[in-house]
Every structure is written in structure tokens, then in C-alpha cells.
Amino acid sequence: MKTIYKKLLFLFLLLPFSVLAQNTLTGTVVDKATGQPIPGVNVNVQGAPNGASTGFDGNYQLSNVKSGSKIVVSFIGYKTQTIDYAGQKTLNVSLEEDTNQLQEVVVQVGYGTVKKKDATGSVSQISSKEFNKGINVTPESLIGGRIAGVNVVGGGAPGAKADIRIRGGSSLTASNEPLIVLDGLPLSNAVPSGATSILSTIDPNDIESFTVLKDASAAAIYGSRAANGVIVITTKKGAKGGVKVNFSSQIGINTVANTVDVLSADQFRNLVNTKGSPEQQALLGNANTNWQDEIFHTALTTNNNISVSGSLFNKLPVRLSVGNVDNPGILRNTSFERTTTSISLNPVLFDNHLKIDISGNLSFGKNQFQDEGAVIGGAIAYDPTQPVYQAGSRYGGYYEWLEPSGNLPLLPARNPVARLNQEDKRSTSTRKWGNVRLDYKFHFFEDLRFIAEAGIDRFDSNGYNRQSTESVLGYQPNAFTSGNWVNLGNYNSYTENLQNKNLNTYFNYIKDLGKFKIDATAGYNYQMFQKQKYVSGETTQPNPNERTTIDPDVNLQSYFGRLILNYDSRYLLTLNYRRDGTSRFSKENRWGNFMGGAFAWNVAEESFLKGNNTLSSLKLRVGYGTTGQQDISAQYDYLRRVTLGTINSQYIFGNTIYKTARPEGYNENIKWEELAEMNLGVDFGFLNDRITGTINYFDKKSTDLLAEVVVPDGANIRNSGTYNIGSLRTKGIEFNIQSDIIKNNNLTWNVAFNTTYIDRKITNLGITVPSFQGYTTGDNIAGGGGNQIQINSVGYTPNSFFVYEQLYDANKKPIAGAYVDRNGDGKIDNEDRYRYKKPAADYTFGLFSTLNYKKFDFTMNWRASLGNYIFDNVSSNLGYSDAGLRRQTDLSNVSSDYLNTGFTYEDNGTQRYLSNYYVKDASFIKLDNVTLGYTFDKTLLKAASLRFTAGVQNVFVLTKYNGLDPEKFNGIDNNVYPRARTFLFGVNASF
């Protein structure tokens, strides 16, 4: 017994020494070649649960380290180091790049991952360190110009939706939007009223990477929703190690970069005095008002985010993030504000057999809108000789055109400043989405895993539109001269609710048989989309058209499978299959089968090339696949339906009001649009992959196109509808290359360049008559009534401009009213219109450069577009003198293009609106962003590393186009919200 007591006493005396022997270790991890700090490096005690990771300054702190322990330092792309710990307080580590491990980068390929070197399809990935810099209010701007074959065109309004096209899209009038998968949850592209876009609710600071599946062989696993490509977004997760706090704050000063050229007040006076009647000359005012200066201003954007990540109890990786962006627009009284909260839990249980990923997100949005087309169009066209305000005006003191009697005329434009201040259009939105993923590796059969994912996305919005009782647009039931004039204003409100439910379950079997590896996946997907909406109608007016709409549910169900065969990482074969069912089509056409296959030969793994430092990587790929399209606005167009009429279609018999019941048009034969695509690719690397790149050639054909077309009289009980007509072929080449041009201890310079060529042609539009020219399409242009300037025709690019051919004099000045009689019938009519140019570019380019010198960093990114044309609708609508002198009772300004043409009046109906003179070359080179940063490694604050940045966004544009902006997605320049030029300042602190 005494012996036991002596041993316990001895252990008790040793306890303080053992505690003292556990030290805290700090240090910095840098790149051996450049000396630059490496963020995100894992620093662990071998065999112990505790660990740490480096901040963006490369620093780490590791607690409870015992003398004699082994410290393991690891990071993807670098050789792992194991270091004996001898009790020192500081341990600085230099990691050396591992060329072989760089090939082990994992990319998302849909319901799984694959090593980048083993990918067989056309897949591109961009991580957070490669994102575009600056104030990125919405996630789309992170990748603009960065990926070959991916075109991102953003708008100027706060939080505006960006149009994304992968390889030009695949349809005519059905959706061309890519499928977006967020942490395993496929999103709907539908957005409720009062919200801007599906991605605008996501904080870009929370995103870890974008993976783009571009060809059908890679995207076929997603089947019916993958015809336009797939973008897989992965958000940041928690990691093992100590708690890390990161705070970022940015301020952006948004300025007006450009405005539309119109006549100045003095130029306009000269025009009216020269060409106007005495009555019109008498209307001229004494002011010199630049109406565009009145509606635009300089605005201040703030963007803040704080995140905390680490491992609770050294077992539960967790990340919590809170962010806020406040983005007032440069158009007065427009704004976008978003507050987000996200949490991610990623526990691993049962000896690494069960991995759980739980993500939850909450986003609140506030928007203030304006009727942009009317306000901006009004500022362009309003008489510059009139003042903004007028003493005694019954419309809030604002100047408005009135008849001599004081009554309000119908046709003149309204004061744009008054519209800004007397109309209030606001909305709020709440979006809640999350996903739970269980990945279980069977204990008794570890080659087999079962994965289940359940996700929900709920998007609710509500808003209102109010016009003041002093607004000229308010409801005024009686004329001013009636003696009982009153202005009741206007008010309407709305709510809308969207819900998206998703369930994935699948098995994954992976088996290594020596040099041969099998990876097989099979599963089931269920997705349900629901929508309901309420609108109040104009409540200040009699009989408001109040209604509640509950859309039929849209249900997608699928069975899918994939088989990957890998022999020695040299010969790689991927086969995909998916059987999709949609509720949008009848039972006879409901199910579609989509499949893909791709083969790759990793030549660099062959004995004759392996270990070659000059040609360090070479992989040849070939793929073919089919995908589908069913994303149309009609939920049940195949059904014969009868709907009740609205308040505008009722009958009164006696004292009773009866609603009408009317049959709707239908198409019982509507079916899948299908896409077949072939892809040839080469991945290469030189000089130990210091230079890497990819070349892709693709050829895809869409058949049974879902398009909105006009129905012949008597063929259906509607004028137009969605039908399967014809086919579309798209061919193109993508090229990208990146290189570390300079890489030494003090200086690194990395440059990435990409370019894409795309050729799209409509090859068939179904059964047509000999004189059929095509289906007119696109938005109605300003000028005339119901005029469309674009057409879909066989043999031409979709949305080609459909115009008259202008004639010019000897001085190359357009001759008013003179056009080419292209069919030679001696008259100018609609048969003389022809297809001329198109909005889509032939070539797009992107250039990204990052320069690091010691603690300084400098980045810039350029974009260019070649072969894209734009229709100058501002000049076509306002570029003639009669546009300002239409009536004897009011005046309007005209476009400066009038000084070039001298056009006076309309000719031959509306032919001048449709002249090819207004189709202009919109090719451009843009410097999107320049950013300069400096990092303080805990020299200012011992507790934190600081990085300060300054930069400019939308720096300048080089273009022949003299309009507002050459980059317009639909190809029509008309009253566009201009893109701001932003001067930004930021700080990032890492604790």
C-alpha cells in the first residue's frame, strides 16, 4: 500500500512539470521559391486532434505542444513537412511546391468530385484567391472575364441581375440560363417580384469556388436542367484548428462615368428658333437644365463582413459569417441593401465513416426601385430650357407641361426629377435556404458509400408602389377645369412566395484494383417548385384588380448514374446517364433520356513523357453527350384549360355581374428540347507546369427547340404559344493559358489569359412557306408602335437585326427616306428588310494579372469583345428634329446624332426607326478593375494582420460606339441604367 501511495505522490509532483512542458508554438509558413506567406496551411501535432491553420499573412499559433512531438505542415500543391519539436517557441516553415500534388486538385463534377488530372469533360474551376477584386456586390462579378466560354454581363442598377451564358446558350426563347447548384442544392432561376436575382441574396465573401461544367458529357449527370451548362458554387466551410476571425470592410464611391449625348439648352434653342413654329418658339424657357445631371449623383457603397471559423472542442468544424452591403445607385432614390447570415457545421463521426455537412443561410434584402426607362428616358428627352421647379405648381412645385386651361395633356413627357421624388417603389425580401448532406461509408464494406442530401430554398418578398397625391401621375378622376379636381395618387402592393425543395440519394462505389480504378454512382433526385402571388391592384382607383395567383407545382424526378474507369491515370473513361421526368409535359412526352461519355488519354503519364520537365502535362480529351430543356413559363401548356376572366372581362345581366370563362390555347404535343454536344480538348503544361492551359473545340446542336412563335389564324385559340420548332447549331473554340512569368523571393507575376470564338446559326424553323423570313423576336424598340428590330431566321445567328439598308450621299451622309430596294419590285416595304449583324460577339477575351512585390500586391483584369453590334435606339427614336417638335403645345430634346444626319421627319411610316444606320459596331476593350494592396504582418496591431487596398472599378472603355455603353446584353441601347465608375478603399483584418 505504501508503494502505491509513493507512486501516486510521485505522479502528483510531476504533474506541474508536465503541464509546463506543453508549450504554445507560433510561426509563419511561406512559399520556398517566392518567400510569400501561404494562407490556409494546416499545422498539426501528429496523432493529436488539435491543429491550426495559417491566416492570409501565413502566421499560425498552435497550443498544447509537447516537447518531442512531431509537427506536420501540409497544404494542397506543396510537399508535406514533418518536423521534430524540441521546445522552441517559434517555428518558421518554407514549403516547396509539389508538381505531382498540384495535379491532385479536386473539382466538383455533379454528385461527386474528381481529381483535376482525371477529369474527362470540359470543366473549369476558379477559387477564391483567383476571384476578381474590388467591391463585388453580387457573386456573378467574381468570375466576369475569368473563364473561357463563360460570358457575364452585369447591369448598372444596384444589385442588378447579371446575364450568364455558357458557350452562348442553347435555346431560342426557352431559358438560356445555366443551372446553378449551391452546396448541392440546384436553384431555380425564378425570382419573386421586388427581388433582383437569385444570386443577389448570397454574400460573395462566403464563396470558396466556382466550378463550371461546360460540355454535355460533363453536365449530362444533371440531365434536363443542364442544356445551358452548370455552375457549381461551393461556400466556405469550417476547418480543424484554432478559432480564426476575419473582418473585411470596403467603401466604394460610385460616380457617373458617362451620359447620353443630347442637345444642350443653347443648341436646342437654336433648333427651335430655326425649325420651330412661332407657337413652339414661344414655349422656350429661360433655364439651362441638364436633366441627366439632375437625376444622377455620386453615391457611397459600404460592404462589411465578419466570419469566425474553427473547430469546437477540437472535433466540430464550424464557420459563422455575417455580412452587410449597402449599395445606393447613381440614379437617385434607387438602392440595394442585403444582410446575410450563414452557418456551416461539418462534423465527422464514427471513425471517419460518417461525414455530415450542414449549411444554413438567411438573407434579408431591401430594394428601392424607379421606373428606370421612363425616368432616364425622360431626362434624355425633356426640354433643357425648362426649369426643374415652378412656383405655384400644384404638382409639388415641379414644372410640368400643362394646357393653357390648366388641364393635364396626355402626350408630353413628365418631369423626371418629379418622378424620382414623387414615386416610391420599395420592397423587402427574405430568403432562407439550407442543405443537409450525410455521407456514410459502410463499416462492413468500406468501398461503398451512401449519400443523402436534403435541401430547401424559400424566397419571400413583399413591396409596394406609391405615387404621391402631388404627382402628375397620380389618379385624377376629374379635369382641372371641372371644378372638383382632386389628386388621389396611386398605391398598389404585392407579396410573392417561391419555394424549392430538393432530395438527392445515391450510392457511390470506389474500388482500386492495382492500376485499375472503378468509381460508380447511381441515385435518385426529386425536386419541387412552388409559387404563389398576391397583388392588390390600384387601391386609390375604382374597382382595383385584386387577385391571388397560385401557380401549379412543377415537379422534376430523375434517376441517374455515372461510371468512371481509370487505368493507371493514363486512360480515363466517364459514362453518364440520366432519366428525367417533368410535370410540364404530357405522359406521352414526360420522360427524357440523357447520356454522355468522355475519354481522356493522359499522355504525360506515359513512360516516354513522364518526368519531362519541358512538356510537363499533356492530356487529350474527347466527349459527347445529350442534355435536355424544359424550363418554359407555361406549367401545363399541354392541358386543355378554362380560366375565369378578370375584372376587365365581365358581363352584367340585370344587377348581377358574371365572370367569364374562357378556353386557353394549348399544345398537347409539347416535348423536350434536346441538345447533343461534342467536345475535343487538350490540357497542357510546360516547365514543370509553370505554364498551363487548355484548348477546347465544341460543336453542339439543339433540336425540337422550345420557342414562342406566332400561331396561324384558326390553328389554335391563341395568337402565339410555345412549340417545338427547328434546330440551332453552335460551334466554337476556347483557349486559356496562365503562367508565373516571374517567381522569386521578392517578386511574383502571374498572368492568365482566355479567349473564346462562338458561331451560332439557326438550321431549321420547322414547316414554313417559301416567302417566310423568320420569327421576329426581342423587345419592342422605342419609336412607332410594337416595332421589333430582331429576327430568328434559318441560316443566321439568333436575334439578328432585321432592318432596311440605308442609302448614303457622296459625303457618306445618310439620305433621309432612301433605302435599297433589295427585292427589286420598285417599292420599299417590309419585304426589303434584311438580316444585318447581331448582338452576340464573335470573340471574347479576358486578361487577369497579379503582381506581388514583397508586401505589395497589384491586380488588374481586362475584358474585350469583338464582332458584337448594338442598335442605337436612343438615336433612332430621338435623332431627328420632329422628335422635338411633334406638337404645338410642348417641346422635347433630341439626340446629338441629329447633328450628324440632319433627319427632319418620319418617312414611309416607321422605316427610319428600322434603318441599319443605327446598327453600330459595339466591339470594346474594358479595364474592369485595378487594385493595389499592402499587407502589415502584425506590425501595426500585434493581435491582427492587416491588409489595406485601394482601387478603381469600370476604369475605362475603348470602343468605336459613341452611345452610353457598348455592352448591352440584348443588343438594344435604350434608356439604359449606366454602370458606375467606383473608387474603392478597403481593409481586411485577420485575428
Side-chain angles (χ1 to χ4, degrees):
M1 183 64 70
K2 289 183 178 181
T3 303
I4 294 175
Y5 284 144
K6 287 180 179 179
K7 289 181 178 180
L8 289 174
L9 180 61
F10 180 72
L11 290 173
F12 180 76
L13 292 173
L14 280 179
L15 183 60
F17 295 98
S18 65
V19 172
L20 291 173
Q22 294 182 0
N23 300 316
T24 297
L25 178 64
T26 61
T28 304
V29 182
V30 299
D31 184 292
K32 185 176 182 179
T34 66
Q36 295 295 319
I38 308 174
V41 177
N42 295 313
V43 182
N44 300 292
V45 176
Q46 191 175 67
N50 62 311
S53 58
T54 59
F56 72 89
D57 55 358
N59 294 333
Y60 71 91
Q61 180 175 307
L62 188 63
S63 303
N64 301 324
V65 186
K66 296 180 181 180
S67 183
S69 298
K70 293 184 181 295
I71 309 299
V72 180
V73 185
S74 62
F75 189 63
I76 293 176
Y78 290 84
K79 295 179 179 177
T80 299
Q81 287 194 34
T82 302
I83 303 167
D84 292 327
Y85 177 65
Q88 65 268 41
K89 293 184 177 180
T90 302
L91 179 62
N92 298 322
V93 181
S94 298
L95 291 182
E96 182 180 358
E97 279 192 0
D98 187 340
T99 303
N100 292 326
Q101 198 184 111
L102 285 173
Q103 301 293 321
E104 304 299 309
V105 174
V106 172
V107 295
Q108 300 281 340
V109 291
Y111 307 108
T113 59
V114 67
K115 293 178 182 177
K116 189 174 182 180
K117 71 170 185 175
D118 294 338
T120 56
S122 182
V123 180
S124 297
Q125 186 179 68
I126 181 170
S127 63
S128 55
K129 68 178 182 179
E130 302 166 298
F131 289 161
N132 292 329
K133 310 304 180 186
I135 292 185
N136 294 297
V137 175
T138 59
E140 303 99 315
S141 59
L142 296 172
I143 60 172
R146 298 306 318 280
I147 302 174
V150 180
N151 192 33
V152 181
V153 181
K161 173 184 180 295
D163 291 291
I164 305 175
R165 293 294 179 268
I166 298 176
R167 294 182 169 179
S170 302
S171 192
L172 285 183
T173 56
S175 173
N176 276 301
E177 300 284 347
L179 169 64
I180 297 175
V181 181
L182 177 61
D183 285 336
L185 175 64
L187 303 182
S188 167
N189 287 317
V191 177
S193 303
T196 55
S197 76
I198 195 67
L199 291 180
S200 67
T201 58
I202 303 170
D203 190 339
N205 292 290
D206 291 332
I207 295 178
E208 179 63 34
S209 68
F210 288 83
T211 302
V212 182
L213 313 182
K214 293 188 283 188
D215 72 327
S217 70
I221 191 72
Y222 285 110
S224 67
R225 302 187 61 197
N228 300 304
V230 181
I231 298 177
V232 180
I233 300 176
T234 303
T235 59
K236 295 174 181 176
K237 304 293 190 296
K240 291 183 178 180
V243 175
K244 292 192 300 182
V245 179
N246 187 274
F247 172 75
S248 65
S249 181
Q250 294 176 307
I251 294 176
I253 302 171
N254 305 311
T255 63
V256 181
N258 196 13
T259 56
V260 175
D261 288 333
V262 293
L263 298 187
S264 67
D266 289 338
Q267 288 175 316
F268 185 69
R269 286 190 182 93
N270 181 61
L271 170 68
V272 176
N273 288 324
T274 302
K275 291 201 167 191
S277 67
E279 292 82 359
Q280 291 170 329
Q281 293 170 10
L283 294 172
L284 286 168
N286 298 317
N288 292 278
T289 305
N290 186 321
W291 290 98
Q292 293 181 79
D293 285 351
E294 296 293 334
I295 65 169
F296 295 119
H297 70 151
T298 297
L300 190 69
T301 293
T302 59
N303 186 9
N304 298 290
N305 177 272
I306 186 168
S307 65
V308 181
S309 63
S311 183
L312 293 178
F313 317 112
N314 288 323
K315 292 182 180 296
L316 177 60
V318 61
R319 182 179 187 271
L320 176 66
S321 171
V322 178
N324 174 267
V325 62
D326 187 5
N327 179 207
I330 56 173
L331 178 63
R332 294 179 185 274
N333 295 336
T334 61
S335 63
F336 169 79
E337 183 180 0
R338 179 191 62 227
T339 302
T340 57
T341 301
S342 66
I343 187 169
S344 172
L345 303 172
N346 314 102
V348 179
L349 307 174
F350 305 132
D351 193 24
N352 291 329
H353 279 74
L354 178 61
K355 297 179 180 179
I356 303 174
D357 292 315
I358 303 172
S359 62
N361 304 268
L362 182 61
S363 178
F364 300 99
K366 292 182 180 179
N367 292 285
Q368 184 176 10
F369 303 102
Q370 289 292 334
D371 190 345
E372 296 168 12
V375 172
I376 297 174
I380 293 171
Y382 212 80
D383 179 357
T385 70
Q386 305 301 337
V388 177
Y389 303 99
Q390 182 182 45
S393 168
R394 67 177 184 267
Y395 294 112
Y398 290 99
Y399 178 87
E400 296 287 359
W401 289 109
L402 298 176
E403 295 176 353
S405 64
N407 286 335
L408 185 68
L410 178 64
L411 297 176
R414 308 309 183 193
N415 186 322
V417 179
R419 293 198 69 154
L420 280 177
N421 295 325
Q422 294 178 335
E423 289 188 87
D424 192 18
K425 299 174 179 286
R426 296 178 186 267
S427 71
T428 59
S429 63
T430 303
R431 185 177 175 208
K432 304 179 283 287
W433 74 99
N435 202 55
V436 178
R437 185 176 190 270
L438 306 177
D439 184 341
Y440 175 63
K441 180 169 62 176
F442 287 86
H443 282 78
F444 55 87
F445 189 23
E446 295 198 353
D447 296 329
L448 182 64
R449 296 160 51 226
F450 175 72
I451 298 95
E453 293 179 300
I456 189 168
D457 183 3
R458 173 83 182 200
F459 204 164
D460 301 318
S461 71
N462 62 82
Y464 64 85
N465 303 308
R466 177 188 288 119
Q467 289 171 333
S468 164
T469 54
E470 294 184 335
S471 170
V472 70
L473 299 174
Y475 177 57
Q476 303 165 62
N478 303 306
F480 181 72
T481 55
S482 67
N484 58 347
W485 175 86
V486 65
N487 190 340
L488 301 177
N490 279 308
Y491 182 84
N492 66 75
S493 62
Y494 56 87
T495 62
E496 189 165 351
N497 313 110
L498 303 180
Q499 188 162 269
N500 165 20
K501 301 175 184 176
N502 181 74
L503 174 67
N504 301 320
T505 58
Y506 57 97
F507 289 93
N508 178 238
Y509 174 76
I510 299 177
K511 184 67 175 179
D512 285 318
L513 302 171
K515 292 185 176 182
F516 193 75
K517 181 178 179 181
I518 300 173
D519 186 337
T521 300
Y524 168 78
N525 171 240
Y526 173 94
Q527 196 157 17
M528 176 74 79
F529 303 95
Q530 298 168 305
K531 175 183 177 181
Q532 61 182 24
K533 183 176 182 179
Y534 165 80
V535 293
S536 68
E538 293 295 345
T539 58
T540 63
Q541 300 183 22
N543 302 315
N545 190 11
E546 182 182 21
R547 64 187 185 274
T548 299
T549 305
I550 301 176
D551 284 3
D553 296 345
V554 175
N555 182 222
L556 302 176
Q557 297 189 40
S558 311
Y559 302 92
F560 59 87
R562 177 175 55 223
L563 177 64
I564 301 175
L565 302 177
N566 181 336
Y567 179 73
D568 199 25
S569 289
R570 286 185 291 166
Y571 309 110
L572 310 159
L573 177 66
T574 302
L575 300 173
N576 293 319
Y577 172 77
R578 185 168 177 126
R579 179 168 172 79
D580 270 322
T582 175
S583 61
R584 282 191 167 103
F585 303 148
S586 66
K587 290 182 179 180
E588 292 76 16
N589 299 313
R590 181 157 296 163
W591 291 91
N593 298 294
F594 308 101
M595 57 201 73
F599 174 77
W601 177 25
N602 202 343
V603 185
E605 294 295 320
E606 298 288 354
S607 57
F608 59 83
L609 196 57
K610 196 167 187 177
N612 189 305
N613 293 329
T614 303
L615 183 57
S616 46
S617 298
L618 181 62
K619 183 169 66 176
L620 309 178
R621 295 178 283 105
V622 59
Y624 180 86
T626 59
T627 52
Q629 168 72 278
Q630 54 81 51
D631 194 0
I632 56 177
S633 57
Q635 288 91 352
Y636 292 104
D637 201 50
Y638 66 91
L639 287 176
R640 302 187 182 193
R641 308 177 309 283
V642 176
T643 59
L644 291 177
T646 65
I647 191 174
N648 298 318
S649 56
Q650 297 177 340
Y651 282 96
I652 301 176
F653 293 99
N655 296 321
T656 306
I657 299 175
Y658 295 91
K659 288 186 177 182
T660 60
R662 65 175 187 269
E664 298 287 348
Y666 65 96
N667 176 11
E668 60 187 357
N669 297 316
I670 193 169
K671 61 180 181 178
W672 290 95
E673 175 180 306
E674 294 193 12
L675 171 75
E677 182 175 8
M678 182 270 294
N679 190 92
L680 300 174
V682 179
D683 303 329
F684 59 85
F686 297 100
L687 306 177
N688 283 327
D689 283 359
R690 186 164 178 173
I691 301 172
T692 59
T694 299
I695 302 173
N696 282 294
Y697 169 79
F698 60 89
D699 186 347
K700 57 182 183 178
K701 185 175 182 180
S702 301
T703 55
D704 293 324
L705 290 170
L706 288 166
E708 182 77 16
V709 298
V710 176
V711 178
D713 293 340
N716 206 303
I717 50 178
R718 61 184 178 189
N719 296 323
S720 64
T722 304
Y723 293 85
N724 296 94
I725 54 128
S727 57
L728 170 69
R729 189 172 184 180
T730 304
K731 297 182 289 184
I733 298 174
E734 300 166 348
F735 171 76
N736 71 274
I737 189 170
Q738 50 274 333
S739 174
D740 291 322
I741 297 176
I742 300 174
K743 194 170 186 178
N744 57 46
N745 289 338
N746 292 322
L747 179 65
T748 62
W749 181 24
N750 179 272
V751 175
F753 171 79
N754 70 78
T755 183
T756 305
Y757 166 76
I758 293 180
D759 177 39
R760 304 180 76 210
K761 291 289 187 296
I762 298 171
T763 54
N764 187 281
L765 282 177
I767 300 174
T768 58
V769 297
S771 61
F772 177 73
Q773 297 195 73
Y775 295 103
T776 54
T777 187
D779 297 331
N780 290 334
I781 63 170
N787 289 315
Q788 291 179 297
I789 197 71
Q790 294 168 301
I791 193 169
N792 289 328
S793 301
V794 173
Y796 294 89
T797 302
N799 304 311
S800 294
F801 295 113
F802 191 46
V803 290
Y804 293 99
E805 185 177 359
Q806 182 75 49
L807 288 174
Y808 297 81
D809 63 18
N811 297 319
K812 297 183 178 180
K813 186 175 182 178
I815 303 171
Y819 308 98
V820 174
D821 180 11
R822 294 184 64 88
N823 65 355
D825 63 357
K827 60 181 180 180
I828 302 298
D829 57 20
N830 200 58
E831 299 301 315
D832 293 303
R833 292 173 71 180
Y834 76 117
R835 290 148 294 269
Y836 176 73
K837 307 299 184 182
K838 76 280 188 262
D842 296 318
Y843 300 89
T844 55
F845 306 87
L847 177 67
F848 186 78
S849 172
T850 303
L851 184 71
N852 292 280
Y853 176 71
K854 295 185 177 179
K855 296 180 181 180
F856 286 96
D857 59 87
F858 176 76
T859 63
M860 62 178 177
N861 54 292
W862 299 73
R863 285 185 303 115
S865 182
L866 183 63
N868 53 299
Y869 283 74
I870 197 168
F871 182 75
D872 184 1
N873 195 196
V874 174
S875 295
S876 73
N877 185 38
L878 301 175
Y880 64 106
S881 59
D882 279 3
L885 305 171
R886 285 189 176 99
R887 293 171 293 274
Q888 300 298 310
T889 55
D890 64 273
L891 302 172
S892 296
N893 205 351
V894 300
S895 164
S896 297
D897 191 60
Y898 162 72
L899 303 176
N900 301 322
T901 65
F903 287 164
T904 299
Y905 53 85
E906 294 296 352
D907 56 274
N908 300 321
T910 59
Q911 290 170 2
R912 191 192 55 77
Y913 291 119
L914 308 177
S915 169
N916 71 347
Y917 168 76
Y918 298 108
V919 178
K920 300 178 180 180
D921 186 353
S923 301
F924 65 83
I925 299 174
K926 283 190 175 186
L927 179 55
D928 276 342
N929 178 279
V930 292
T931 304
L932 176 67
Y934 186 83
T935 301
F936 292 90
D937 294 335
K938 296 188 177 181
T939 53
L940 289 182
L941 296 174
K942 291 184 179 181
S945 299
L946 299 176
R947 179 175 179 265
F948 294 92
T949 58
V952 185
Q953 290 178 218
N954 190 21
V955 185
F956 63 77
V957 184
L958 303 176
T959 182
K960 292 180 180 179
Y961 181 57
N962 55 9
L964 182 67
D965 194 322
E967 192 173 24
K968 187 68 172 69
F969 183 75
N970 68 353
I972 299 175
D973 181 7
N974 179 31
N975 303 340
V976 177
Y977 197 125
R979 296 177 175 91
R981 176 167 296 133
T982 303
F983 300 88
L984 60 98
F985 307 90
V987 61
N988 185 283
S990 180
F991 300 88

